[in-house]
DNA sequence: ATCACGCATGGAT
DNA sequence: CATCCATGCGTGA
């Protein structure tokens, strides 16, 4: 394979027929260009409106003639066209004959642990009954053919595996040192036990490592989907429809070729080196490192062209083949899924290289705070380091030459230190490089090998986003909701695009890929490396911070707490915010507070009472407040001009979308994004949308990408400080968080006091009448829903509150505190600086509140779509060295900060 | 006082 | 429970 890389090529064992290759070669765009049915066994002309068949690599659907389409849809395709092809097997349960060797049939069966296959019907049945299918038949997700292939992209390749969601294993590559290997085209650094021969893979035997287990299928599929999966024909006799192509937008498309073709990739239909000795896995795994070697029984391989040796073990128990010292002696080399490379085309494009370059993605790592800290040590995942970097026996390690995406050479010290009978590998001296690439915690660095030459290449993906202008472009070019603000949710489309300074080595590449479809990686912020949106949820979420905030509508009868520290206001709700429909709050002619909501269907704006909370999908039909306007056909009361006045102008993209009365693609996508967010919340069972993390119980010290006060700082608190006027997501998040924290604390305290008081009263005054409650308003706002929103400002000037808030600091703030866990925290003993900070902050806050409240509520027309950011920013009056408090709060001061207060019945807006 | 180094710790998996 | 790894921290330059 002399062309540019075709990594992540998943081959079935056999080379496709040339004919099919040709067809596949022309798939990008040609699927529809040709007038002939895509089915190579059919030479019929397509009708004018050909029916879509299976999905091609390009993301398009194969266009079939009526006959083939009919067969396809009726699941008779294989019966008709592959009858004489090999790959037919019988269902172990019902005996039904099932074709197992082509793209069309790939979802028609599932693999059994004990070998053999099961037709999907039986698999479904058995799964329901708790069958022994080794993997949840992907097919179970498919209710219809039309959905099947859609799901390829939507759910990743587990579906493919669905035919045998046999996890693929990434076979760490034997480091071949920096010296180029003579054999430039031996391939196989990767193995994917993806398919076929599938029954030959005794899954249960092989998948011994936890993350290869079923529960990890998400990762599996996720990773799979990150390759330009090319599923070749199972059988050489198969016809061309054997190629399944991962939809590009979900694939990492590790090819630099603009028109990857099976023809080109054929040579790469190499058999993977399964890293498993032939004796393993029941001896059924063909082992081959020779490409172009047909092996009808081999497993589907995902292989990269490279000259690297392989070395991996199967199911984590592989033998090391390189003889390289394995300090741990375990021979385990399974990489954690989070390190599996998820290269995008853009990633590849970053990598300098000529047209003959072959890029072998090795691994990637999300940068931690310490990675990007001053120390300049990039912690390497042990297995990655051992797999892909030269073996080192001395802690001093050796210098490693790495090329960045600009082609710039860096030399890092690759070394390790002993740690718990193991090793901890680090790259030292990465600071200049990190800075050069303008990377920060949360960004992802990718390591690849460039062939020929074996050069180590370090690329990156920015976790967060791009400049405003770029976002504008994205707003236009992509289908997201607006992209203003820097809080876009892990939008991979922006990956690699961030650094216009040249980090994208496009210049270095002569050829450019056509605009690729967006791929996604569900990585979310901080916890991203562990928390990923399931592939099925891979809907682009492009929301600005404000938009996201706007979606988090409090129930109308819920009030927010407000806390200010060092002039930063924080508000939070006792309960999880509700993902509601963004609306526009306004005041009508009579001075009455109202809100405008846009119908999901007709996009007309409807006037509603100000205190109603709408579901994320709200339509005119749900307009119970104005029957006359409860039909989409009803006219819109709001004029465009009025609407323009109401809509936020800081975000043109969002503005246009919201303004648009007609449904256009943008709207659809925007709504899809919102819906996705809403759905996420729903899926979260009502819990607050995890801004950055979800699964963990405790906050780690520093999480990359996390915007909590802890994580926004580099480990030593030495990084750049946020300015007091900073309105970045992080700062705003911090502010919010603070406010919430304080208020919750306040509330809890007041509740406790109330309780205490009550008890005392009951004990000592049980003869008295009870209407002498000394704390009449305590807890009123929480105990009984406040039916109407009250402005924070209006209530915060409660002098009682002022007094109590300033006087009751008992300890420190645990900035990672989770409100619901507060009870578990004990009051801290060490107050010191933090105490003073808080006191100061609170005082300032209270002063401020007085000022604000006296100046009246000017926010009556603030929109929910960007409700908090602006006002909070305005209220920032005091500088806070976030880093300073952060550091201590993180670990040294885990204790409690409490405020005594009474009756915080206020709500924000 | 600062920094770099390298080990230790502990949360997460 | 073992392991990984992020990062804290002691120590010495």
């Amino acid at each position: 394979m002399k062309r540019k890389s075709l990594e992540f090529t998943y081959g079935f064992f056999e080379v496709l027929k040339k004919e099919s290759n040709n067809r596949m070669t022309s798939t990008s765009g040609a699927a529809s260009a040709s007038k002939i049915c895509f089915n190579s066994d059919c030479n019929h002309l397509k009708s004018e409106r050909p029916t879509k068949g299976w999905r091609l690599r390009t993301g398009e659907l194969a266009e079939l003639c009526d006959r083939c389409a009919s067969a396809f849809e009726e699941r008779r395709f294989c019966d008709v066209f592959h009858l004489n092809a090999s790959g037919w097997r019988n269902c172990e349960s019902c005996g039904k004959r099932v074709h197992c060797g082509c793209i069309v049939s790939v979802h028609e069966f599932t693999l059994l642990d004990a070998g053999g296959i099961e037709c999907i019907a039986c698999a479904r049945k058995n799964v329901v009954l708790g069958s022994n299918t080794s993997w949840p038949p992907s097919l179970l997700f498919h209710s219809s053919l039309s959905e099947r292939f859609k799901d390829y992209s939507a759910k990743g390749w587990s579906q493919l595996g669905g035919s045998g969601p046999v996890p693929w294993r990434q076979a760490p590559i034997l480091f071949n040192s920096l010296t180029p290997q003579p054999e430039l085209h031996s391939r196989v650094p990767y193995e994917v036990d993806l398919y076929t021969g599938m029954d030959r893979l005794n899954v249960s035997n092989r998948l011994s490592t936890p993350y290869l287990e079923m529960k990890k299928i998400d990762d599996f599929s996720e990773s799979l989907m990150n390759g330009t999966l090319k599923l070749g024909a199972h059988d050489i006799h198969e016809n061309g429809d054997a190629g399944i192509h991962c939809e590009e937008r979900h694939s990492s498309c590790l090819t630099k070729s603009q028109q990857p073709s099976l023809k080109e990739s054929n040579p790469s239909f190499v058999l993977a080196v399964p890293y498993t000795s032939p004796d393993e896995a029941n001896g059924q795994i063909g082992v081959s490192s020779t490409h172009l070697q047909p092996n009808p029984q081999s497993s589907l391989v995902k292989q990269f062209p490279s000259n690297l040796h392989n070395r991996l073990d199967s199911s984590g128990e592989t033998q090391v083949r390189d003889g390289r010292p394995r300090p741990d002696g375990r021979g385990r080399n399974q990489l954690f899924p989070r390190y599996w490379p998820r290269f995008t085309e853009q990633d590849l494009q970053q990598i300098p290289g000529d047209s003959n370059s072959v890029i072998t993605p090795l691994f990637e790592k999300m940068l931690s705070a310490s990675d990007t800290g001053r120390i300049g040590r990039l912690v390497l995942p042990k297995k990655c380091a051992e797999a892909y970097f030269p073996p080192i026996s001395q802690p001093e390690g050796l210098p490693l030459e790495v090329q960045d995406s600009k082609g710039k050479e860096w030399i890092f010290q690759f070394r390790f230190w002993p740690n718990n009978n193991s090793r901890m590998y680090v790259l030292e001296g990465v600071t200049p490089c990190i800075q050069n690439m303008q990377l920060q915690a949360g960004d992802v660095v990718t390591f690849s090998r460039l062939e020929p030459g074996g050069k180590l290449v370090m690329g990156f993906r920015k976790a967060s986003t791009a400049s405003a202008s770029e976002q504008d472009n994205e707003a236009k070019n992509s289908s997201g909701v607006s992209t203003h603000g820097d809080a876009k949710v892990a939008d991979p489309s922006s990956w690699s695009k961030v650094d216009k300074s040249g980090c994208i080595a496009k210049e270095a590449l002569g050829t450019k890929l056509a605009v690729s479809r967006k791929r996604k990686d569900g990585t979310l912020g901080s916890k991203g490396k562990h928390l990923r949106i399931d592939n099925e949820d891979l809907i682009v979420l492009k929301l600005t911070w404000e938009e996201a905030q706007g979606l988090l509508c409090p129930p109308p009868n819920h009030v927010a707490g407000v806390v200010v520290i060092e002039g930063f206001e924080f508000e939070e709700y006792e309960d999880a915010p509700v993902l509601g429909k963004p609306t526009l709050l306004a005041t009508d002619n009579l001075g009455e507070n109202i809100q405008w909501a846009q119908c999901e269907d007709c996009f007309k704006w409807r006037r509603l009472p100000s205190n109603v909370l709408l579901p994320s999908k709200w339509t005119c039909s749900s307009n119970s407040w104005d029957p006359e306007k409860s039909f989409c056909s009803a006219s819109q009361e709001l004029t465009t001009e009025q609407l323009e006045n109401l809509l936020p102008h800081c975000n043109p993209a969002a503005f246009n979308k919201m303004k648009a009365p007609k449904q256009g693609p943008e709207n659809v996508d925007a709504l899809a994004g919102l819906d996705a967010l809403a759905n996420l919340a729903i899926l979260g069972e009502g819990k607050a949308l995890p801004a950055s993390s979800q699964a963990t119980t405790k906050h780690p010290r520093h999480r990359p990408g996390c915007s909590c006060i802890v994580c926004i700082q580099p480990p030593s608190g030495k990084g750049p400080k946020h300015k007091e006027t900073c309105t970045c997501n992080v700062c705003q998040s911090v502010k919010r968080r603070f406010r919430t924290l304080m208020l919750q604390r306040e509330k809890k305290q007041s509740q406790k006091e109330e309780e205490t008081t009550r008890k005392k009263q009951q004990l000592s005054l049980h003869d008295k009448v009870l209407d002498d409650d000394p704390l009449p308003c305590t807890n009123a706002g929480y105990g009984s829903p406040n039916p109407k929103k009250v402005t924070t400002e209006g209530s915060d000037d409660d002098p009682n509150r002022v007094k109590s808030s300033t006087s009751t600091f008992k300890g420190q703030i645990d900035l990672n505190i989770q409100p619901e866990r507060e009870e578990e925290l004990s009051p801290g003993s060490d107050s010191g600086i933090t105490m003073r900070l808080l006191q100061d902050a609170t005082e300032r806050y209270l002063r401020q509140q007085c000022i604000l409240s006296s100046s009246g509520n000017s926010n009556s027309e603030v929109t929910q779509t960007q409700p908090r950011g602006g006002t909070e920013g305005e209220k920032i009056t005091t500088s806070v060295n976030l880093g300073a408090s952060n550091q201590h709060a993180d670990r040294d001061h885990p204790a409690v900060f409490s405020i005594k207060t009474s009756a915080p019945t206020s709500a924000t807006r």
Side-chain angles (χ1 to χ4, degrees), chain A residues 798-874:
Chain A
D798 178 354
N800 293 333
R801 177 184 178 145
V802 171
K803 222 177 282 177
S804 60
S805 296
T806 50
S807 60
T808 53
F809 293 94
K810 291 200 291 191
Q812 312 108 354
I813 293 181
D814 177 5
L815 298 173
N816 293 317
I817 194 166
Q818 296 178 13
E820 66 276 13
R821 296 183 62 242
E822 282 183 24
E823 293 82 354
E824 304 167 18
L825 301 171
S826 59
S829 57
D830 174 13
S831 48
I833 297 172
T834 311
M835 274 285 294
R836 264 176 279 131
L837 272 174
L838 292 176
Q839 287 175 334
D840 281 347
T842 309
E843 282 168 9
R844 278 182 215 131
Y845 163 69
L846 294 167
R847 280 198 301 271
Q848 206 169 13
Q849 291 308 304
C850 291
I851 294 169
L852 288 172
S853 58
S854 63
S855 66
N857 180 0
S858 59
N859 293 326
S860 57
E861 293 197 2
V862 173
T863 70
Q864 278 189 13
T865 49
Q866 50 160 345
R868 284 120 197 165
T871 51
E872 281 171 12
E874 292 163 13

Side-chain angles (χ1 to χ4, degrees), chain A residues 329-610:
Chain A
R330 286 177 292 107
R332 280 186 62 160
N333 213 353
Q334 199 84 51
L335 300 188
F336 287 109
R338 65 174 179 263
Y339 303 125
W340 291 349
R342 303 154 206 281
F343 279 51
T344 64
E345 290 174 11
Q346 289 167 338
D347 294 333
L348 282 182
Q349 288 175 52
Q350 285 186 37
I351 301 171
D354 59 27
S355 60
N356 291 320
S357 300
V358 171
I359 300 156
T360 304
L362 302 178
F363 67 94
E364 67 178 41
K365 192 208 173 198
M366 182 180 285
L367 293 175
S368 69
S370 54
D371 289 335
T372 57
R374 272 198 191 170
I375 301 177
R377 292 190 298 209
L378 171 59
V379 175
L380 293 169
K382 183 184 168 202
K383 293 190 171 98
C384 297
E386 293 181 347
Y388 304 123
F389 288 0
I392 48 178
S393 53
Q394 298 300 316
E396 295 72 33
L398 46 80
L400 205 56
E401 195 174 316
V402 179
Q403 187 177 356
D404 72 11
S405 54
K406 300 176 186 175
K408 200 169 182 175
E409 299 282 350
W410 303 91
I411 294 182
F412 304 134
Q413 187 72 17
F414 171 56
R415 54 171 316 179
F416 71 89
W417 58 72
N419 196 350
N420 289 340
N421 294 325
S422 180
R423 289 178 171 188
M424 190 154 185
Y425 290 90
V426 294
L427 275 185
E428 289 184 341
V430 298
T431 300
C433 179
I434 296 279
Q435 289 176 347
N436 186 266
M437 294 197 279
Q438 299 179 350
L439 298 179
Q440 49 191 332
D443 296 339
V444 173
V445 289
T446 60
F447 288 90
S448 319
R449 187 171 309 290
L450 192 61
E451 305 294 348
K455 176 158 289 184
L456 212 48
V457 180
M458 189 174 166
F460 70 91
R461 282 195 304 265
K462 299 291 279 185
S464 68
T465 80
S467 66
S469 62
E470 285 169 334
Q471 290 180 10
D472 281 343
N473 290 336
E474 283 188 19
K476 290 173 196 160
N477 299 335
S478 65
S479 53
V481 182
S482 85
T483 51
H484 271 280
D486 44 359
K488 266 197 312 189
V489 181
D491 173 19
S493 68
S494 64
W495 291 347
S496 314
K497 295 167 69 176
V498 177
D499 188 355
K500 291 288 189 185
S501 66
C503 284
I504 302 175
K506 292 193 176 182
E507 313 88 286
L509 294 171
T511 59
K512 283 294 127 274
L513 279 173
V515 176
S516 62
R517 295 194 172 96
K518 307 279 188 232
R519 68 178 285 278
K520 299 159 209 146
D521 179 79
T523 303
L524 273 182
S526 72
K527 205 56 187 180
K529 70 177 181 180
H530 301 313
L531 172 67
R532 294 191 174 91
I533 298 177
D534 286 347
N535 294 328
E536 46 216 295
D537 296 326
L538 284 174
I539 305 165
V540 173
L541 286 179
K542 283 189 170 184
L543 295 174
T544 65
W545 187 250
E546 291 79 9
E547 287 164 344
Q549 290 283 304
L551 289 172
L552 298 174
C553 304
N557 54 354
H558 280 56
V559 293
V562 176
V563 167
V564 168
I565 294 225
E566 293 283 345
F568 291 94
E569 271 196 17
F570 293 90
E571 72 176 11
E572 201 162 45
Y573 290 84
E574 169 71 1
D575 299 318
V578 173
L579 277 174
K581 183 174 183 60
T583 58
L584 303 175
L585 291 181
T587 309
D588 66 6
N589 298 334
L590 303 174
E592 190 178 341
N593 290 332
I594 59 168
Q595 64 177 324
W596 294 96
Q598 192 175 26
C599 170
E600 291 284 311
D601 291 335
C602 68
F603 296 93
K604 287 172 182 164
W605 290 88
R606 303 300 184 198
R607 175 182 165 150
L608 304 173
S610 63

Side-chain angles (χ1 to χ4, degrees), chain A residues 640-792:
Chain A
T640 305
E641 193 178 339
Q642 288 173 316
L643 182 57
E644 285 181 6
N645 290 333
L646 287 174
L647 288 171
H649 289 269
C650 66
N651 187 341
F655 173 75
N656 290 332
K657 283 176 188 131
M658 296 191 72
K659 199 172 64 170
K662 305 276 185 187
Q663 177 165 358
E666 259 191 358
N667 286 75
V668 173
D669 290 327
L671 292 168
L674 301 184
D675 290 344
L677 189 55
N679 290 336
L680 280 180
I682 292 165
L683 290 173
E685 295 178 354
K687 291 180 181 173
L689 183 72
S692 58
S693 70
Q694 183 179 42
T696 58
T697 53
K698 291 186 178 178
H699 198 303
R701 291 167 188 169
H702 283 266
R703 279 196 217 125
C706 178
S707 60
C708 83
I709 194 167
V710 175
C711 295
I712 59 174
Q713 281 292 308
S716 303
K718 293 171 181 174
K721 311 297 183 195
H722 290 244
K723 291 183 179 175
E724 59 193 86
T725 54
C726 178
T727 55
C728 73
N729 299 338
V730 171
C731 287
Q732 297 205 0
S733 174
V734 168
K735 294 171 211 164
R736 262 184 75 81
R737 184 74 184 145
F738 254 125
R739 185 162 59 185
T740 301
L741 170 74
M742 298 290 283
L743 208 63
Q744 300 231 337
R745 181 65 61 189
E746 248 179 296
K747 194 197 78 180
K748 293 242 159 102
Q749 185 69 26
S750 67
Q751 283 177 334
K752 278 184 185 173
E753 288 188 1
E754 182 194 20
E755 193 126 333
T756 310
T757 308
R758 271 193 194 150
K759 282 180 183 172
K760 282 182 184 173
Q761 284 177 332
Q762 286 173 357
L763 286 175
S764 62
L765 306 172
H766 58 277
D767 288 332
K768 283 191 176 182
V769 283
L770 294 176
D771 55 0
D772 280 337
D773 189 349
L775 296 171
C777 49
T778 297
N779 206 30
Y782 300 97
S784 59
N786 183 350
K788 194 145 191 176
K789 292 182 182 177
V790 185
T791 63
T792 302

Side-chain angles (χ1 to χ4, degrees), chain A residues 1 17 104 164 190 212 217 231 249 264 318 328 362 375 435 530 580 598 620 672 683 704 715 818 849:
Chain A
M1 190 166 96
K17 292 198 310 187
V104 180
Y190 271 66
L212 287 181
I217 190 129
L231 300 183
R249 68 196 180 107
E264 289 173 323
T318 319
D328 57 6
L362 302 178
I375 301 177
Q435 289 176 347
H530 301 313
Q598 192 175 26
C620 293
L683 290 173
Q818 296 178 13
Q849 291 308 304

Side-chain angles (χ1 to χ4, degrees), chain A residues 72-115:
Chain A
F72 176 72
E73 289 177 0
E74 295 168 13
R75 300 193 173 192
R76 293 184 292 107
F77 194 92
C78 293
D79 294 325
V80 174
F81 296 105
H82 303 159
L83 201 56
N84 297 321
S86 62
W88 286 93
R89 312 190 62 184
N90 293 326
C91 171
E92 295 293 327
S93 297
C94 67
K96 177 183 161 187
R97 219 166 154 245
V98 179
H99 191 227
C100 305
C102 72
I103 186 172
V104 180
S105 62
V106 73
H107 274 186
E108 296 298 321
F109 61 97
T110 187
L111 303 179
L112 297 177
D113 282 344

